[in-house]
Structure formats: C-alpha cells, structure tokens
Amino acid sequence: MRGLFSAKTPPTATPLHISLPQNGIQIHKNDNRTPSPLLNRTPSPSSFNPIAMSSKNVPEKLLVDESSLDNPDLGPFLLKLARDTIASGDNPKKALDYASRASVSLERCSGSALELTMSLHVLAAVYCSLGRFDEAVPVLERSVEVLDPTNGLDHALMKFAGSMQLGDTYSVLGQLDRSISCYESGLKIQIEALGQFDPRVAETCRYLAETHIQVMQFDEAEKLCKKILEIHRKQNAPASLDEAADRRLMALVYEAKGDYESALEHLVLASMSMIAAGQDNDVAAIDKCIGNIYASLCRFDEAIFSYQKALTVFKSTMGDNHPTVASVFVRLADLYHRTGKLRESKSYCRNALRIYARPAPGTPTEEIAGGLTEISAIYEALSEPEEALELLHKAMMLLENRPGHCSRIAGIEAQMGVMFYMIGKYDEARSSFESAVAKLRACGESKSAFFGIVLNQLGLASVQLYKIEEAAEYFEEAREILEQECGSCHFDTLGVYSNLAATYDALGRVGDAIEILEYILKVREEKLGTANPDVDDEKKRLSELLKEVGRSRLKNGISLKNLLYSNF
C-alpha cells in the first residue's frame, strides 16, 4: 500500500512516511520542544484529607446491627469514634465499621446534614486508604448530593470539599475527564461561597490548571492561570512567592503551546522573586526551565549555561546522587544529542542512569519512571532501540499496580510499540498498541487526540501483519477522533486520511481511496503550494489510482470552502 504514515520506518519494511503526534510522552521525533515536568502536585485544596492506614485484617463486608441504628444519638457518637480511631492510627477495621454505621444511622434518623456528610467523607477516606477506590466513589457522590450550598457557608464549603475529594478519587482511578468535571463543580461552588478573588479560589484554580495540563488541555489551563495571576494582583504584594510559583505554571502552559518568548518572560519574573526571597533551590529549578526554553529556541549556549547553573546549586544543596541532579543530566544529554555531540550525550545519560539505579530514599517512583522514559527517547534518537526498549520496560514495571497511572502506562506502552515497530517486531508492536488502546479506553481518554494517534499506529502494525480489514477499522476510528479534536486539515488528521486511502486501495475500494486522495491533495495544495514535494507525491498516488479506473483528475472540483471546516 502506498504512502502509509507511520512511527518510523524499519530498515526492512516498505518505505513509510512519518506522521506522529504532538504529545508529551515523546513518541515522535519531529518535535524539537523540550518537555518540562509538571510542578509537584499537592493534595486537592479540600477541607478533608484522607489519612493513610494499614489494610491488614479488613473484612470485605461488615455486619451492621440494624436494630441499633435508629437511635438519633448513635450517629454522632459513632462519627466521633471513627474520627478518633483514624487519628490514633488504630486498626482500620474499627474506623470502617464506625464510619459505616454512623452514616447509616445519620441517614435513617435525618440527622444533621453536615454530620452525615462528614461521616461519608470519613468512610470514603477509609476506603481510599485501603485502596478500595471504586467503593469510595458512590459514598462521595452521595455526600455531594446531601448538601445544599444555599443553606450557608458551612454547607457550601463542605460540598466543595466533597467535590474535590471525589475528583481526587476519580483521578486515582485514571478517569481524568470525570475528575476535571468534579473539580470544576467544586470551583464553581467555592467562587459562589467566597467570591472570585479569594486566595483559596486561586489555590483551587491552580489545582485544576495542573489537571488540565496533565491531559494536554492547554487553552483551559491558560485561562485558569490568568485568573490566578489576577487574584494575586488584587490580594498579594507584588512579586510574592505564590505569584512566582504560578508564573512557573503559566510558563509551563506557554511552553507546551509553543509560545516560548512568553514562557521565558514569566520564568524570568518568577526567578527575580525567588532570588529576592533567597530561595536558591527554587531559583535553580527555574534556571532548569529557562534552559528548556532556550533549547527550544535553539539558543544552545544559553541553555547549557542555565543547566550548568542549576546543576551547581542542586549538587551543593541535594548531593551528587539526587534524582533532581539526574534530571538536569537528562536535559544536558538531550541538548548535546541535538547539537551532534553524541559522546557527551551518552555520558550524561549514563550519569543519570547511575543515579536512577540507586535513588535517594523517599524518591517518588513516578520521578524515576519519568526519567527513564526521557532517557529512552534519547536512546531512540541515537538509533539504539534495544536500549530504549529496556528502559521503557523498567519504567512500566515501576508504575504497574500503582493506582492513578493508567494513562501514563498506556503512553509508555505506545512508545514501546513504536520501538518494536522500528526494529520490525510487528506482533510485539501490535500487542503494545492494543494494550495502550485498552488502557486509554478504560481511563476515559478514548476521545483525545493522543488516542487517535495510537489507533493510527495500531492500524499501521496491523497492516504489516496483513490484517487489512482491522487496520481500516482503526484508521476510521482514528479519523473520526482527530477530525473532532484537531480538525480535518491538521497534519495528523491528513496522515490518517492517507493511511485510510491506502487501506481502501488494498481492500479494492478504489473509489473511496480516490475520493480521500482528491481531498488530501486539495488541502495540501492550499496549505503547501503546488510545487511542494509532498503535494507531488500525492499527485503521483492519485494518478496511479485514476489510471486503474480509467479516469483523469478533475481540475475544477468543489470549492475548498465547501470541503473544509469553518476554522480553516
């Protein structure tokens, strides 16, 4: 089949074009942007935080004495026992028993709505501490239903807390779309209760913005960051530390959107605030981000200077073997690779891997997995796919069986699929892509642009295994998603169109293939001009198909205005 758009062409395979997603897990090579890690997230700004407890000796179901729960004094008493048990760190069996019976009693006796909600929050917190997040969800949903925010500030803030706790629980389950919906509901309640310029509203906006960044919804994140900075202007002294932290978040959004100059402006302002406050480690972290921006702007000498400044501070304050030091090594390795200094690039990779092999106590597993994933991308660029695969496998093993990482593991599996495809192991590539697709469906990301890209790659692997009809189904679903998320004229969408045309050709659906190619050619001529090599390739493909059916290309077709989306 002609002109498939793929991850990368293995040396033994039929020549394929390269069409890869613009996403944050680096399964592409055409994007020169340097990723910045998301700032460390804190628990959501709700008024109730779960307390971790041991999960031993907890029964699956608890027997409740039905006859005793109609006493109106029993619910508040059991709630106090549950909270005291949690505070003492005692066996969670007791806390779960007390909280369960308290909520049932308060519900039956029509007790205080605030007390009922608190009992439900406590019960949900115990479920979460035991890893039983699915059971916590209906409890929290009920807690949100109980309260009416018009009944006073306490009711409003408790309902806000329940919405945020429910959002956190969905986030752990990997259902980020539902998580965001809960956070948005909580923010709306909080604004109505406290006013739009309350500092606590800024805290919630920050949390929601970080979540939007996680799912690459950068326009929404930018709006929230602007609101946060507006609150700072009204509530805080100029150049406060909180404002500096939020400028870093805004810079991250602008970097992701490719607006590097604006990102650099916010980082410089944040750095000045941190320098004035004597926050050396924060200044070094910002220097690292500034290095990322300089690298994206191809200002490599300035990038190296910024990275080296950050490295000096991190080594002196954290030690030579701290993962933060390793993260700077990774950035330097990527930069030296891009400037053709491969020996230096590999040396920095080895230094980072040495630290990740023996991380400092308390280092988050997610940080190590992220570092390994970034290094694997460098090895991929160095044409060492076996080493890249090994690192991706290690990263995936670190995250397996840990709640809240379904989407991240899917991204790693997609990257592994690309690696397998590169070395011609199409069965393994197909299995990796299938697993990634299943995980993305399970965690509610089946409508994202990244999901469409993974479907495209799954279709390509299926083509290599001669499963043409299945490939056509994957390409069709990918087309539908990318049309919705990116528009019909986006490069990724056109790549899927081209793949689908080639697949239809292989299935004997020549008329459908011709229709798609004629559309692609019209768009490419409008976008790139008639003399572009890509346009010439499409003309040749279309001419070959037209010859098969004894036709010639219609020069005066339907106007582009009738073919393209209105935002074209």
Side-chain angles (χ1 to χ4, degrees), residues 407-418:
S407 178
R408 194 168 184 176
I409 293 172
I412 293 174
E413 287 181 326
Q415 180 66 27
M416 292 178 70
V418 172

Side-chain angles (χ1 to χ4, degrees), residues 331-405:
R331 301 270 52 83
L332 285 165
D334 179 64
L335 186 60
Y336 279 120
H337 166 259
R338 292 173 58 189
T339 54
K341 298 178 179 179
L342 304 187
R343 180 180 301 176
E344 291 87 344
S345 178
K346 288 186 177 181
S347 175
Y348 278 116
C349 282
R350 288 193 292 269
N351 288 338
L353 288 172
R354 174 179 51 79
I355 296 174
Y356 288 135
R358 294 183 179 180
T363 301
T365 302
E366 296 82 0
E367 185 175 350
I368 300 171
L372 295 177
T373 303
E374 288 189 88
I375 297 172
S376 76
I378 298 173
Y379 277 117
E380 176 192 348
L382 292 168
S383 298
E384 298 184 13
E386 296 291 352
E387 289 79 359
L389 269 172
E390 182 180 350
L391 292 173
L392 288 171
H393 182 72
K394 288 180 180 179
M396 189 172 66
M397 291 298 101
L398 288 171
L399 296 175
E400 272 194 342
N401 301 320
R402 295 178 65 86
H405 295 292

Side-chain angles (χ1 to χ4, degrees), residues 215-459:
V215 295
M216 294 181 284
Q217 296 174 351
F218 301 117
D219 290 338
E220 291 82 354
E222 181 182 357
K223 293 175 185 176
L224 288 163
C225 287
K226 287 180 177 178
K227 182 173 183 61
I228 296 168
L229 293 176
E230 184 181 2
I231 294 173
H232 286 310
R233 283 193 292 271
K234 290 184 175 293
Q235 297 290 341
N236 299 330
S240 67
L241 293 181
D242 285 341
E243 180 181 335
D246 290 324
R247 287 193 181 278
R248 291 177 62 187
L249 188 63
M250 177 66 98
L252 184 62
V253 173
Y254 279 133
E255 181 186 4
K257 296 181 70 173
D259 187 353
Y260 301 119
E261 296 293 349
S262 296
L264 188 59
E265 178 185 344
H266 281 281
L267 287 173
V268 170
L269 290 172
S271 180
M272 292 169 61
S273 301
M274 293 297 183
I275 290 171
Q279 303 291 320
D280 291 342
N281 276 343
D282 286 322
V283 173
I286 294 173
D287 281 334
K288 178 186 168 186
C289 295
I290 290 174
N292 294 341
I293 301 299
Y294 281 139
S296 298
L297 293 170
C298 298
R299 295 161 62 174
F300 299 123
D301 290 339
E302 292 166 286
I304 291 174
F305 178 72
S306 294
Y307 288 144
Q308 292 292 356
K309 280 176 59 181
L311 191 61
T312 300
V313 173
F314 287 144
K315 282 185 174 181
S316 65
T317 59
M318 300 180 177
D320 291 344
N321 295 316
H322 196 277
T324 303
V325 174
S327 70
V328 183
F329 285 151
V330 174
R331 301 270 52 83
L332 285 165
D334 179 64
L335 186 60
Y336 279 120
H337 166 259
R338 292 173 58 189
T339 54
K341 298 178 179 179
L342 304 187
R343 180 180 301 176
E344 291 87 344
S345 178
K346 288 186 177 181
S347 175
Y348 278 116
C349 282
R350 288 193 292 269
N351 288 338
L353 288 172
R354 174 179 51 79
I355 296 174
Y356 288 135
R358 294 183 179 180
T363 301
T365 302
E366 296 82 0
E367 185 175 350
I368 300 171
L372 295 177
T373 303
E374 288 189 88
I375 297 172
S376 76
I378 298 173
Y379 277 117
E380 176 192 348
L382 292 168
S383 298
E384 298 184 13
E386 296 291 352
E387 289 79 359
L389 269 172
E390 182 180 350
L391 292 173
L392 288 171
H393 182 72
K394 288 180 180 179
M396 189 172 66
M397 291 298 101
L398 288 171
L399 296 175
E400 272 194 342
N401 301 320
R402 295 178 65 86
H405 295 292
C406 178
S407 178
R408 194 168 184 176
I409 293 172
I412 293 174
E413 287 181 326
Q415 180 66 27
M416 292 178 70
V418 172
M419 294 291 98
F420 283 128
Y421 194 99
M422 286 173 57
I423 60 179
K425 294 184 177 181
Y426 303 121
D427 279 316
E428 291 88 341
R430 178 182 164 87
S431 295
S432 292
F433 288 133
E434 283 181 330
S435 182
V437 165
K439 286 183 175 63
L440 290 170
R441 289 191 196 277
C443 63
E445 294 190 37
S446 60
K447 298 300 180 182
S448 67
F450 176 60
F451 182 74
I453 294 296
V454 178
L455 281 173
N456 180 58
Q457 306 300 344
L458 177 55

Side-chain angles (χ1 to χ4, degrees), residues 1-194:
M1 284 172 285
R2 310 174 185 87
L4 293 178
F5 277 60
S6 169
K8 193 169 181 180
T9 304
T12 59
T14 304
L16 305 174
H17 292 295
I18 298 176
S19 174
L20 294 170
Q22 305 297 315
N23 59 73
I25 63 164
Q26 297 186 0
I27 73 167
H28 54 87
K29 293 285 105 193
N30 293 333
D31 187 356
N32 290 325
R33 290 178 295 171
T34 304
S36 283
L38 190 65
L39 303 177
N40 291 332
R41 278 169 66 86
T42 56
S44 66
S46 61
S47 62
F48 186 85
N49 290 320
I51 301 174
M53 296 180 293
S54 169
S55 60
K56 61 184 179 180
N57 300 324
V58 180
E60 289 298 316
K61 293 185 179 180
L62 295 168
L63 297 176
V64 178
D65 183 359
E66 296 288 337
S67 61
S68 65
L69 298 180
D70 294 324
N71 184 342
D73 297 324
L74 183 61
F77 175 70
L78 289 171
L79 175 58
K80 182 179 184 303
L81 286 178
R83 298 177 69 175
D84 291 345
T85 303
I86 292 176
S88 67
D90 205 348
N91 193 319
K93 171 183 177 180
K94 294 181 181 179
L96 188 63
D97 183 24
Y98 293 147
S100 178
R101 288 193 288 160
S103 61
V104 173
S105 179
L106 288 166
E107 189 89 58
R108 282 189 178 185
C109 300
S110 300
S112 165
L114 289 174
E115 286 184 327
L116 173 58
T117 303
M118 177 57 72
S119 70
L120 293 170
H121 286 185
V122 171
L123 179 59
V126 178
Y127 277 136
C128 290
S129 70
L130 300 174
R132 293 159 63 175
F133 300 100
D134 287 323
E135 294 174 78
V137 167
V139 175
L140 289 169
E141 288 176 339
R142 175 59 183 152
S143 78
V144 173
E145 294 172 358
V146 166
L147 293 171
D148 182 353
T150 62
N151 288 338
L153 184 61
D154 289 342
H155 287 252
L157 293 181
M158 185 68 80
K159 189 178 184 74
F160 157 76
S163 297
M164 300 303 291
Q165 194 176 345
L166 180 57
D168 286 345
T169 306
Y170 277 130
S171 179
V172 171
L173 291 170
Q175 300 178 31
L176 293 181
D177 53 342
R178 293 187 176 183
S179 177
I180 288 174
S181 177
C182 292
Y183 294 150
E184 289 175 338
S185 297
L187 177 61
K188 182 178 179 181
I189 294 168
Q190 189 183 41
I191 290 174
E192 290 175 352
L194 302 175

